Amino acid sequence: MSHSPKGTGSLVSTEGTRHTRISGVGGYRPERVVTNAEVCTWIDSTDEWIRERSGVVSRRFAAKDETVVDMALEAAGPALEMAGITADQLGAVVCATVTHGYRTPAAAPLIALRLGANGIPAFDVGAACAGYCYAISIASDMVRGGSADHVLVVGTDRLSEATNHHDRGSAFIFGDGAGAAVVSSSDVPGIGPTVWGSDGEKWDAIRQRLSWTEIQDRSERELAGEPQDWSDAGAEDARSASTLIMSGQSVFRWAVWSMAPVAQQAIDQAGITADDLDAFIPHQANMRIIDAMVKQLKLPADIPVARDIAETGNTSAASVPLATERMLREGEVPHGGLALQIGFGAGLAYAAQVIRLP
Ligand code: UT7
């Protein structure tokens, strides 16, 4: 027996604004400064090698009890203030992170609660170093589609916890921090089209050493008196098996060769040229990757380029908003100027867009 559909009327759809913009940004850097000299007490390396190969001079580590949610709140405050709104005006929170301590629930509902905006839609985005630029795109579409008027986007990561501090290939590169932005409606376009994508064939290139299931299985066997060998994962124990492993060289090559064309597409799709840019704010993965991208994009020599990695390290989802916040605060770029931003990393995932700075 066949059923005919009950509904005959058309559905009501939300209607948003035509344009969106970033109305405020904020950043938070934890107090503890970790120098290359300190890193070199954990791995066989030198300050000189780390500076030359990565550009990192120092990074910040969160305090033992400082979570990604704590850091997110510190970054959200100044972003809301710059946007000229209070938390009760937010329509949603989108949190980009890969280092929240719980598989579930997400960090975002706690951020909303502690901001005093409990009840609004709140969810996490797991796109690693591309997470912030992914979340800006999602938030912009939410505002354009009428699902929210103002969306808080936070990129917050505590990579010190996800790093094996004895791993020579990654111990020197990562740091902790949070950056936030408010996405709001606008009379004129303030967020250009996002050029984004992923490459699941390189899923392995940056990943947790072992899955949680594997870690649980081995830990159970260990508890049952069956000693486990973790060395196949480049780990010493269950804890270090949950840290990240990175095929540095292959990610480096991918970033250098594949990300400049993505950035160029973001410029083209925004309907501008490189000469129109007031800033280039790439993911802070490695100073040599930043230099290579500047060269390939043939950016005019006078365009300020974010080099926050020197003092902040690679903070994954926090890296682009933290670099943005620093450039604005230090007066390196003008409020209202155009910035090209691009995030890329584990997934592999990437996203780029031209935005008007708040
Ligand atoms: O945020 C997500 C995206 N992530 C990235 O984009 C990271 C991309 N990758 C990188 O930034 C770089 O690959 C690293 C900075 C991680 C490593 O730099 P590299 O130039 O690729 O180093 P490498 O692994 O090719 O090693 C070069 C040499 C080797 O020695 P030999 O074989 O040439 O004698 C290594 O053994 O440097 C040696 N080496 C070190 N020396 C001192 C490797 N790690 C270290 C170290 N200290 N920590």
Side-chain angles (χ1 to χ4, degrees), residues 45 49 53 129 168 172 248-249 251 283 285-286 288-289 314:
S45 190
W49 190 94
R53 292 296 182 121
C129 306
R168 219 164 162 235
F172 58 92
Q249 281 194 18
V251 180
H283 171 45
N286 184 317
R288 290 187 294 140
I289 295 176
N314 177 343

Side-chain angles (χ1 to χ4, degrees), residues 7-317:
T8 49
S10 60
L11 283 176
V12 171
S13 174
T14 55
E15 235 176 81
T17 170
R18 260 175 69 69
H19 303 302
T20 58
R21 69 190 170 108
I22 293 178
S23 53
V25 293
Y28 171 71
R29 293 172 169 79
E31 209 175 296
R32 185 174 164 222
V33 177
V34 177
T35 62
N36 287 346
E38 183 174 348
V39 171
C40 291
T41 63
W42 312 323
I43 55 169
D44 174 20
S45 190
T46 60
D47 173 42
E48 194 189 8
W49 190 94
I50 297 171
R51 281 180 200 235
E52 263 175 25
R53 292 296 182 121
S54 71
V56 182
V57 175
S58 61
R59 71 288 291 142
R60 303 291 186 101
F61 276 8
K64 203 164 173 38
D65 58 352
E66 199 170 32
T67 67
V68 292
V69 172
D70 296 328
M71 295 196 292
L73 288 161
E74 297 290 337
L80 289 168
E81 197 174 315
M82 191 186 288
I85 64 164
T86 45
D88 58 311
Q89 290 172 268
L90 286 173
V93 174
V94 184
C95 175
T97 185
V98 286
T99 46
H100 174 46
Y102 294 75
R103 264 202 269 207
T104 196
L110 264 188
I111 296 171
L113 171 72
R114 286 176 55 189
L115 277 173
N118 191 35
I120 61 176
F123 60 95
D124 291 0
V125 168
C129 306
Y132 172 77
C133 295
Y134 260 66
I136 288 292
S137 185
I138 294 164
S140 177
D141 288 350
M142 285 163 73
V143 174
R144 286 207 309 162
S147 304
D149 288 334
H150 300 279
V151 178
L152 176 71
V153 168
V154 198
T156 178
D157 267 310
R158 193 175 190 278
L159 289 167
S160 61
E161 196 182 283
T163 302
N164 181 343
H165 297 292
H166 301 292
D167 174 16
R168 219 164 162 235
S170 63
F172 58 92
I173 204 114
F174 295 123
D176 302 339
V182 178
V183 173
S184 306
S185 65
S186 173
D187 296 333
V188 291
I191 299 176
T194 299
V195 178
W196 53 348
S198 66
D199 183 357
E201 282 183 4
K202 297 193 179 69
W203 188 87
D204 254 12
I206 310 172
R207 61 171 168 83
Q208 184 167 309
R209 285 166 203 270
L210 289 179
S211 71
W212 291 120
T213 317
E214 180 79 1
I215 293 170
Q216 278 165 352
D217 284 351
R218 290 194 192 189
S219 300
E220 272 168 23
R221 273 183 259 142
E222 213 161 50
L223 277 173
E226 218 184 296
Q228 297 295 306
D229 180 8
W230 301 87
S231 61
D232 59 322
E236 300 93 49
D237 50 23
R239 209 205 88 48
S240 59
S242 73
T243 60
L244 298 176
I245 184 160
M246 175 167 75
S247 308
Q249 281 194 18
S250 90
V251 180
F252 188 94
R253 278 195 297 271
W254 170 78
V256 165
W257 296 112
S258 308
M259 290 303 100
V262 169
Q264 185 60 53
Q265 282 176 47
I267 296 175
D268 297 342
Q269 291 191 20
I272 61 162
T273 68
D275 286 323
D276 297 315
L277 290 173
D278 294 284
F280 177 42
I281 312 180
H283 171 45
Q284 306 292 295
N286 184 317
M287 200 70 92
R288 290 187 294 140
I289 295 176
I290 297 171
D291 289 335
M293 287 179 80
V294 168
K295 216 164 156 186
Q296 285 190 49
L297 286 168
K298 298 190 175 63
L299 293 184
D302 59 343
I303 289 184
V305 176
R307 296 186 183 283
D308 190 36
I309 187 170
E311 286 171 21
T312 309
N314 177 343
T315 55
S316 194

